[in-house]
Structures are given as C-alpha cells and as structure tokens.
Amino acid sequence: MVSRQLSRRALIAAAGAGLLAGCTARPGSELRELVLATGPDGAVFQKIGGAIATLLARALPGVTIRARPSSASVENLHLLNRGEAQLALSSLDAISEHPNTSIHGISAVGRLYDSFLHLVVPAGGPIRRFDDLAGKRVSVGAGGSGTEFIVANLRRVTGASFTPVLFNQQESALALARGSLDAFFTLTGIPTPAITDLEQHTNIRLVPLVAQAQALARLPSGYYLPATIPATTYGAIPPCPTVVTPNLLLARDDVPDDVVEIVTRTVFVEAPTIAADRPEARRINIRTGISTGPIPLHSGAARWFRAVKG
C-alpha cells in the first residue's frame, strides 16, 4: 500500500514536471491578467479562491493573478460570460440549472469539494424544525449566490413561506448575533469561517434538513445528495443531516490550453498546501476531480488528467 501511494505521488510530480518542461518559457505569455472570481467575506469560496490565486501567481510568472470577491456561484457565471473573469468557482446546480446564465464557452478545470447546506439559528430560539421558519426573517444568501439558488429550489419543492433577506455569510452571521435575523441559510464547504467565528461568541444550532434533502434529491437533475455535517465541525454542535452539491472550478474556453493545464496541476498537486489553513480543501483530489457532471473538462485540464492517469 505504501509503495503504491509513493508511486502515485511520483507519477503526479512527474506529470507536473513534464508539463512545465513542455511549456514555453513564459506560459500564458499572451495573457496580461487572469481573474479568478471567488465569493463573499466569510465564505469558503473566497478563502480557497484566494489560496489558488496565490499559488497561480508563482506558477504563471509574468501574468497578473487577481482573486475577485463576488456574491459567489451565479454572479461568477455572469462574470465568466462577460469576460470579466477567466476562472471562477461555482456550485454544479447553479451552473447547470440557473435560467439566467449560459455555460456556452465555459468548461471545467475540475471538481473540487462539496458544499453543505446549513440552516443556522440561535440555540435558545423557537426554530427547531424547518417548518418553524414560517413567518420568520431568514437570510437566503447574497443575491447571485449559490445559496440563493438552492434555497429557491428548496422553497419550490417544499412550499415553505418566510421573509427572505439577501445577506452574504458574514452579514448573516452578524445579523443573527445581533438578533435582527431569525435564521440564515448558507451553502458552503465545511467548516466555513463565518460560522466558526459566530460559534465562538454566540450559542447557535444547526437545524436538521432530512425531508428537505430528500425532496431536493428527487429533482431530475441529480445534483443534490443527502449528507451529514459531521460532529466536531463546529465545536460542540452535533452532527446535522442536510444536502450537498458539488463545486467546480471553471474556465472560459478561450483561456489557452497550456495555462489551464498549469492551473489544473497547481490546484490538484498543491491541494495539501491549500488545505493547510483551509480544512475543506482536503477534499480536493484527482480521483474525483474529473467528475464534473454535464460540464465538460477544458481541453487543457483534460490533457493534464490524461497525463497523470497515464
């Protein structure tokens, strides 16, 4: 087993070295800037996107790499479509189903990790079940976020009625702590910084979403799966059943193959570096990286995965 793991690591390293040796002296020399659309304050998208941008700045000398904050998935798709970003993070459901976005000219660098839907409430409050949200003031994420998108699907399949508020993760956490919000949803990797910070000074709990996860999983798309937020993710908060959807790193098709090949290598070979301060990045791995659903791999990404797999 140990020798097999070592040979696998050696193969990955060799593929990466071969890639760099096979590129011109300045990969992506036709590019002046590469913009990576990430997410809002307090979100995993922003943390992981920022880490990827830092690594790409080293891997692509001569190209200015910029991590651009955003509302997350849906806004990121618009940024790609308008050419205001060349790379972006997005949940798979938003990519595939949002009625106001187009994936023409966009492909996948790879699948990264899954986002878990959280429903966060004050521990001493009256909301203990999903149905208790009726008539309450609830944040459904920032406008243009993957959270807003999945909660819209959730309300459609359950008929839930509450007063929606468009706050990002950080704004939601602050409003809940101040008592100006009854609950908030967030679709994010685990642990997510906004909730980790909130739990340090506010007694909170996560509301189970068993029936709701099953309802989403029955949608024809197949992009939702029941899952559980594990114990110890947020201090003493117990495990909580919910739903997950995958996240992809996307690229415009017009980004050169050699650049996307280096982006792919950087993300998957350097995943342990990304995960050093961002535990959710531990789920980034080559085995699941090619599982991008209906979104095809960028030709540069496909070339790197083929080299690694031999």
Side-chain angles (χ1 to χ4, degrees), residues 24-79:
T24 61
R26 288 185 58 202
S29 58
E30 296 180 1
L31 288 178
R32 293 285 181 264
E33 184 179 59
L34 198 63
V35 177
L36 168 57
T38 61
D41 290 343
V44 173
F45 269 15
Q46 188 175 108
K47 300 292 185 182
I48 286 186
I52 292 173
T54 298
L55 293 169
L56 289 179
R58 302 171 192 164
L60 290 165
V63 180
T64 299
I65 309 297
R66 184 162 62 92
R68 175 170 175 167
S70 71
S71 296
S73 295
V74 176
E75 183 183 358
N76 288 352
L77 296 173
H78 289 308
L79 291 171

Side-chain angles (χ1 to χ4, degrees), residues 21 25 43 93 183 188 208 234 287:
D93 60 333
T188 183
Y234 303 108
R287 181 177 57 82

Side-chain angles (χ1 to χ4, degrees), residues 162 238 246:
F162 49 79

Side-chain angles (χ1 to χ4, degrees), residues 143-165:
S145 66
T147 302
E148 183 191 25
F149 183 75
I150 192 174
V151 175
N153 272 342
L154 183 59
R155 295 182 74 184
R156 178 168 57 85
V157 298
T158 62
S161 176
F162 49 79
T163 302
V165 180

Side-chain angles (χ1 to χ4, degrees), residues 3-155:
S3 61
R4 192 175 306 169
Q5 290 174 341
L6 289 175
S7 64
R8 181 67 169 172
R9 291 172 186 158
L11 178 61
I12 293 171
L19 165 60
L20 292 176
C23 288
T24 61
R26 288 185 58 202
S29 58
E30 296 180 1
L31 288 178
R32 293 285 181 264
E33 184 179 59
L34 198 63
V35 177
L36 168 57
T38 61
D41 290 343
V44 173
F45 269 15
Q46 188 175 108
K47 300 292 185 182
I48 286 186
I52 292 173
T54 298
L55 293 169
L56 289 179
R58 302 171 192 164
L60 290 165
V63 180
T64 299
I65 309 297
R66 184 162 62 92
R68 175 170 175 167
S70 71
S71 296
S73 295
V74 176
E75 183 183 358
N76 288 352
L77 296 173
H78 289 308
L79 291 171
L80 286 174
N81 286 328
R82 294 196 299 262
E84 296 176 29
Q86 291 74 46
L87 302 170
L89 297 163
S90 180
S91 58
L92 181 58
D93 60 333
I95 304 167
S96 306
E97 293 186 352
H98 196 281
N100 298 320
T101 59
S102 168
I103 60 168
H104 178 70
I106 298 172
S107 49
V109 175
R111 175 175 173 168
L112 301 185
Y113 61 93
D114 292 345
S115 275
F116 291 68
L117 183 63
H118 300 60
L119 175 53
V120 185
V121 300
I127 301 172
R128 308 196 72 86
R129 301 177 303 123
F130 177 79
D131 292 345
D132 294 334
L133 294 178
K136 298 296 191 294
R137 194 165 185 260
V138 182
S139 172
V140 298
S145 66
T147 302
E148 183 191 25
F149 183 75
I150 192 174
V151 175
N153 272 342
L154 183 59
R155 295 182 74 184

